[in-house]
Amino acid sequence: MIENTPRAHFSAHQDICSRPFWKWIVLLILAMGTTIALFARFRAGDAFVVFFDDDYFYYLRVARNIAAGHGSTFDGTHLTNGYHPLWMLVNILLTKLFAGRAFFYALLAVIFLCVLATYWFTRLCLRRYASEAAASGCAGLIAAQGLMIMSGGMEVVLSIPLLSLLCWYRVCRFTWRPRSVAIYSLLCSAVVLSRLDAAIFVTLLGAFELLASNELEREGKARAVAAFATGLLPVGCYFALNEVMFHTLMPVSGHAKQLRFSYMPSVMPFTTAVFNTWAPIRYFLVIPVICAVVFAVLLLRRFGSERLYCGHRALVWALLCFPFIQLMVLSVVSDWLLWPWYLYSFLAAAIAVCLLLLSRSGALERKIGRTAAQLSLCAFAAILSIFAFVQWRNSRNADKLIFSVYFAARDLRAFAKTHPGTYAMGDHAGIPSFLIDEPIVQVEGLVEDNEFLSNIRQQRDLKNVLESYGVRYYIASNPTRVEDCLRATEPAVAGPTSYVMRGTFCSVPVDHFFYHGRDTYVFDMEKEHGA
């Protein structure tokens, strides 16, 4: 019989929380919720495409062209590297293996597996410091938050599980032997190649490792640095290949968003992340993580974290700093709107917060030790249930603004069937590029080439640029009326200090669609030049 004392109750509580069934319970709930959240979109019929991020279809169009042997091109003519390499490789493979709707089932299966992998590796990482229930609850919470970002189909589908894998290896398997350092570095390379701005995190991690680890001195700093550099060779090869094939080190999508005439810091990334991003991500990820970071830092200043192994502190601080340094860098190099998938960095900070709080000691142990498992499990179940419900409900709400993009794209497909030629479109060109078989020039430059970006940098007249690219039909979204004409700006989502192209169109549009406050005009450039 258990002794009836507070200490005995605490021991019994710890015994229950350490039972291995918790990991399977959380995994089962996560699998069920993820399945509903991902596959509910097919209830929308052909409009299921709106539940993918529009930019995902840039990946898909290029992947189809590569798989068909046409090269790395979006418009069918100009080579582009406007994508992150690992996710493009996955999409090329899926394109070769599956066709039609089966492709999207396979794609969602990949996302499903990546969500579960995020949970599993995060749980193994946190298990180093916590009971099974607490580790499983916190890992499930992070995986559920990751699901909200990954469900759109962008490259963070790979970035998030790779980050969790990297954390697990550093916390549970890493030593300062050259072989282990090389594996650690290879994982860093994989994270960077999955999403290139993760180089900010890897740079922070390397700097903190050099500054914080006494073991590095004992094992030989020179050998460790050499092994780490060896593991980063894939990243170097990627940049070299870019220079040879595309004559640019960075993807043109990154260049396009950094075409500014003033590099004064912009508040756009911060305001978008905290106030304007998609509500589930804002309320269930960004704001809670910011509050949790502040809470964790304040608690640690008071109570300390003696159980956090000194070798893990570099990882924790790199994870904590990553989203804030990322936003600071973006505020300088770009004033474009911030899209939800950029906020994957906040999941990195969430892992760090969990490591800090679960490596509690002394008074902090008594304050949160009994409630960590319950709170994390409840938060995980609540967020997953709410997100799955939102996705299920939205799959049948055809009056939502997001469906307007599909309705316009559907009408454009009908128009293109009787009007062959080269098309051009800027914002929201992703779904039309999936539905329309005709060549499409992406006039924001995200999946074009360096020459196209030079047109934006020179702020050339948009109509002249379209003519030079042989465009027959230009699709303008919400252009501005100027007397009897319409003026379009590309890129439309660029900020006030970015270079843009403008064109005034005075011919009668050959077609016009209006859905939920979004005007889409189609201009025949032959008529426009004769107007």
Side-chain angles (χ1 to χ4, degrees), residues 129-168:
Y129 289 105
S131 67
E132 191 66 69
S136 298
C138 290
L141 175 60
I142 290 170
Q145 292 171 319
L147 170 63
M148 294 185 291
I149 301 176
M150 296 159 74
S151 63
M154 292 300 287
E155 62 278 345
V156 291
V157 170
L158 291 182
S159 305
I160 294 170
L162 284 173
L163 265 174
S164 66
L165 174 61
L166 174 64
C167 293
W168 164 75

Side-chain angles (χ1 to χ4, degrees), residues 264-287:
M264 289 294 293
S266 168
V267 298
M268 182 68 73
F270 299 98
T271 57
T272 303
V274 178
F275 301 109
N276 297 325
T277 196
W278 189 35
I281 294 175
R282 183 165 73 249
Y283 293 124
F284 296 148
L285 175 60
V286 176
I287 294 175

Side-chain angles (χ1 to χ4, degrees), residues 169-170 173-186 209 213-231 309:
Y169 186 79
R170 181 61 182 88
R173 291 289 185 269
F174 179 77
T175 65
W176 281 110
R177 296 176 180 175
R179 181 175 178 274
S180 184
V181 173
I183 294 174
Y184 185 35
S185 181
L186 280 171
E209 291 282 20
S213 179
N214 294 325
E215 293 175 271
L216 189 59
E217 295 290 338
R218 292 197 298 268
E219 294 292 333
K221 184 179 294 187
R223 285 185 301 165
V225 170
F228 196 83
T230 301
Y309 174 57

Side-chain angles (χ1 to χ4, degrees), residues 273-305:
V274 178
F275 301 109
N276 297 325
T277 196
W278 189 35
I281 294 175
R282 183 165 73 249
Y283 293 124
F284 296 148
L285 175 60
V286 176
I287 294 175
V289 166
I290 292 174
C291 295
V293 168
V294 174
F295 174 74
V297 171
L298 290 177
L299 279 181
L300 289 170
R301 286 190 64 183
R302 182 175 179 183
F303 299 112
S305 186

